[in-house]
Amino acid sequence: MAEMQEMPGHLARRFQQIAVAVFLSEVEAAGFDLTPVQYAALAAIAANPAIDQITLAGLIAYDRTTITGVIDRLAQKGLVVRQASARDRRSRELLITDEGRRALDAITPAVEAAQRLMVRGLTKAETNELIRLMQKAIAAGNDLSRAPLREGTAER
Amino acid sequence: MAEMQEMPGHLARRFQQIAVAVFLSEVEAAGFDLTPVQYAALAAIAANPAIDQITLAGLIAYDRTTITGVIDRLAQKGLVVRQASARDRRSRELLITDEGRRALDAITPAVEAAQRLMVRGLTKAETNELIRLMQKAIAAGNDLSRAPLREGTAER
DNA sequence: CTCTATTGATCAGCATACTGATCATCAGTA
DNA sequence: TACTGATGATCAGTATGCTGATCAATAGAG
């Protein structure tokens, strides 16, 4: 374990580093300017209209304090709107705009290309196995981070 | 691929998120205050005395602009010293201090415990396979990030 | 030897992530 | 209904990572 190259933690950092670089590169080549985090938030808002920020954070496993800035930037780009909830005046309902929907549709092929590119060194079977193992490790460690994934989508 | 939970990029982010949380938790429980990034830098400096910052960055795949701040913090904690090089006045030679060596030795068990904890959902065989697959994917994507890993340790 | 291109380090600026705090609001209870 | 605890959102502060720029110093070509 003394070798850094065999430590899961180091490999996790490195793989994530490459994944982000590939994502940004593919998305920019497609003519868009969205980060992985912004894309995931936009996609989740599209699939869950009027979701509040805390629930959204749980869906994509973001820290609640991170989501504020992410939504700020999506709103500033005109891709989502943040409106006060009538039911609970503390919360903001998030909605994707028409422009956001168009951007999401247009960008998705680049995102999928990025997913393939970041595992280009692996066979299809190896890729599936990597996905399975990461899912399993993540499921076991879900509650160890401050921003665990939370199921229970829209029914709040 | 429409499902986020099957995208390598999302899983990479999530696994890294858990890995960092586990690392910080174990290290703090052991009575230390070091981030994963600071630990890797400290260990690399210990193994490569008088290394310069650029070479160090290549060894652990950090961006060169990131390393400046990391070394700042290690130096501020008294764990390393940064001294001008006689050979090349542009570069700074990095050396671990006695205190840094003691901290490194004392913290290593916690770091290794963290490596095991972050894959606690996997069997030993699965862990080895996850490591192998991440290594392979990373090797193929090494040059896709701004901070690739560079071999060629001390002989500059 | 001089000029140019490169290199080591740093900086400003931006985007995640997190810790811990605050504020307004809400829900449930006495 | 008044109070207490919980909750949604935000903020200040810190630490990665990155883009792109700058500056001093070095190396290589001619």
Side-chain angles (χ1 to χ4, degrees):
Chain A
M1 187 75 89
E3 294 310 319
M4 185 180 57
Q5 306 306 324
E6 300 186 356
M7 290 194 186
H10 170 76
L11 297 171
R13 174 186 154 281
R14 189 83 188 92
F15 185 52
Q16 149 79 354
Q17 187 180 40
I18 290 167
V20 171
V22 168
F23 183 102
L24 292 175
S25 165
E26 289 295 305
V27 166
E28 190 197 336
F32 291 91
D33 172 34
L34 263 198
T35 66
V37 159
Q38 289 166 15
Y39 173 81
L42 186 61
I45 292 168
N48 299 274
I51 194 173
D52 67 286
Q53 292 185 191
I54 295 282
T55 307
L56 171 63
L59 273 185
I60 51 186
Y62 288 9
D63 190 90
R64 69 185 187 283
T65 64
T66 300
I67 211 104
T68 298
V70 174
I71 300 301
D72 279 350
R73 288 179 279 279
L74 286 176
Q76 208 222 325
K77 291 176 182 176
L79 305 181
V80 304
V81 291
R82 184 161 30 185
Q83 64 183 29
S85 164
R87 262 190 309 111
D88 184 340
R89 272 182 302 164
R90 288 171 303 182
S91 83
R92 317 296 169 97
E93 294 178 349
L94 304 174
L95 295 167
I96 193 168
T97 63
D98 288 345
E99 188 186 343
R101 178 73 65 178
R102 279 194 300 273
L104 185 60
D105 291 344
I107 209 178
T108 296
V111 172
E112 299 195 343
Q115 304 306 308
R116 289 188 296 272
L117 191 52
M118 67 185 69
V119 292
R120 67 176 180 183
L122 306 183
T123 66
K124 191 79 187 67
E126 285 175 330
T127 298
N128 289 337
E129 183 66 358
L130 177 62
I131 290 171
R132 184 183 78 81
L133 294 173
M134 286 197 294
Q135 286 173 337
K136 195 173 175 185
I138 290 166
N142 188 51
D143 290 332
L144 301 179
S145 81
R146 168 162 144 163
L149 193 75
R150 302 205 179 285
E151 311 290 344
T153 317
E155 56 277 11
R156 291 176 63 95
Chain B
M1 186 77 87
E3 294 309 320
M4 186 179 56
Q5 305 305 326
E6 300 186 355
M7 290 192 185
H10 170 76
L11 297 170
R13 176 187 153 280
R14 190 82 189 94
F15 185 51
Q16 149 79 354
Q17 186 179 41
I18 290 167
V20 171
V22 167
F23 183 102
L24 292 175
S25 166
E26 289 295 304
V27 167
E28 191 197 337
F32 292 92
D33 172 34
L34 264 199
T35 66
V37 158
Q38 290 166 14
Y39 172 81
L42 186 61
I45 292 168
N48 299 275
I51 194 172
D52 67 286
Q53 294 186 190
I54 294 282
T55 307
L56 172 62
L59 273 186
I60 51 186
Y62 288 9
D63 189 272
R64 69 185 187 283
T65 63
T66 300
I67 211 105
T68 298
V70 174
I71 301 300
D72 279 350
R73 287 179 280 278
L74 286 177
Q76 206 222 325
K77 290 175 182 176
L79 305 181
V80 304
V81 290
R82 184 161 31 185
Q83 63 183 32
S85 163
R87 263 189 308 111
D88 185 339
R89 271 181 301 163
R90 288 170 304 182
S91 84
R92 319 296 171 97
E93 294 179 349
L94 304 174
L95 294 167
I96 193 167
T97 63
D98 288 345
E99 188 187 341
R101 178 75 64 180
R102 280 195 299 274
L104 185 60
D105 290 345
I107 209 179
T108 295
V111 171
E112 300 195 342
Q115 304 307 309
R116 289 188 296 273
L117 191 52
M118 67 185 69
V119 292
R120 68 175 179 183
L122 306 184
T123 66
K124 191 81 187 67
E126 285 175 331
T127 297
N128 289 338
E129 182 67 356
L130 176 62
I131 289 171
R132 184 184 78 82
L133 293 173
M134 285 197 294
Q135 286 172 337
K136 194 172 174 186
I138 290 165
N142 189 51
D143 290 331
L144 300 178
S145 82
R146 167 162 146 163
L149 193 76
R150 302 205 178 285
E151 311 290 343
T153 316
E155 54 280 11
R156 293 175 61 97

